[in-house]
Amino acid sequence: MANEAQVTFEGERAEQLAGSLRALTARIDAACRAAGRAPGEVRLLPVTKFHPASDIEILYGLGLREFGESREQEASGKVAQLRHLSRVRWEFIGRLQRNKAKSVARWANTVYSVDSDRLASALDAGARAALDAGERDTPLRVLLQVSLDADPARGGAYEAELLALADQVETAASLQLGGLMAIPPLDAEPDAAFAQLARLHTSLLAEHPQATELSAGMSNDLEAAIRHGSTCVRVGTALMGARPITSA
């Protein structure tokens, strides 16, 4: 790949991504205006899982700096391949096994899916090791994933567990509490689900006022999420198109 100073935007894929980014940015801006919010209040996190590192390089050249990945092995390979892009911030958005926490803590700026005390402890230990080794120079920022349907198969802490988990992260030496994240239930009406999430975020902010991030909304429901206060939409398909490789 080219070095950072030589990134170019030629070719069919570059044109495709540039057009999708323009359309998505306009869509987010329109949703913000409709909700009476400033467009700058909502951050776009491109979800680049299953897409090649070359796509991330194109998006970097188009001005994006944050990218969301959800599989540790795939993400670690991209991190190594794209080290020449010095200002990338990698965000881990998928469910994370504790035995992968040490690896992810070496390169992730933020982990979005913290839903248990054991995972928080594993990430704290991994971030501490990375800090001691000089592999990172800041605490690991984490978002708490809350379950909106109490389905353990989909991840997320239960509402009753949320504040205790926030307290644990807040006191962890190598973690920084960033806010809250959720994925609506598959059969849920988006506005109802995001209204519930907004209520939980308000409760969290009362105890942890620095936890201002509310990550909600994807390709199909970002307008509803923005209406209910999302500060970060995680978008894959509407930006990247169909997955070019399988998830196997």
Side-chain angles (χ1 to χ4, degrees), residues 45-58:
L45 178 64
V47 177
T48 50
K49 63 180 181 179
F50 305 125
H51 292 271
S54 57
D55 280 357
I56 296 174
E57 191 165 32
I58 291 169

Side-chain angles (χ1 to χ4, degrees), residues 99-182:
N99 64 353
K100 304 288 188 181
K102 183 175 181 181
S103 172
V104 170
R106 295 172 60 190
W107 49 259
N109 173 269
T110 303
V111 173
Y112 282 60
S113 49
V114 175
D115 60 359
S116 72
D117 55 355
R118 292 184 295 173
L119 179 56
S121 295
L123 286 169
D124 185 36
R128 184 167 60 250
L131 287 163
D132 290 344
E135 294 172 319
R136 62 181 307 123
D137 55 12
T138 60
L140 175 63
R141 182 172 175 266
V142 302
L143 302 186
L144 307 183
Q145 181 178 353
V146 61
S147 173
L148 299 178
D149 58 5
D151 181 354
R154 304 192 73 221
Y158 296 163
E159 178 178 348
E161 304 168 337
L162 198 59
L163 290 181
L165 184 57
D167 290 342
Q168 178 185 351
V169 171
E170 179 70 19
T171 58
S174 301
L175 301 180
Q176 176 190 350
L177 179 61
L180 200 60
M181 180 273 247

Side-chain angles (χ1 to χ4, degrees), residues 68-119:
E69 293 283 333
S70 65
R71 301 193 306 176
E72 182 274 332
Q73 186 174 3
E74 177 188 348
S76 293
K78 290 176 181 176
V79 170
Q81 191 174 356
L82 296 173
R83 290 193 186 281
H84 60 288
L85 303 182
S86 59
R87 290 179 287 168
V88 164
R89 284 173 30 134
W90 297 102
E91 318 269 298
F92 192 85
I93 62 174
R95 296 192 71 180
L96 180 61
Q97 297 175 324
R98 295 194 305 279
N99 64 353
K100 304 288 188 181
K102 183 175 181 181
S103 172
V104 170
R106 295 172 60 190
W107 49 259
N109 173 269
T110 303
V111 173
Y112 282 60
S113 49
V114 175
D115 60 359
S116 72
D117 55 355
R118 292 184 295 173
L119 179 56

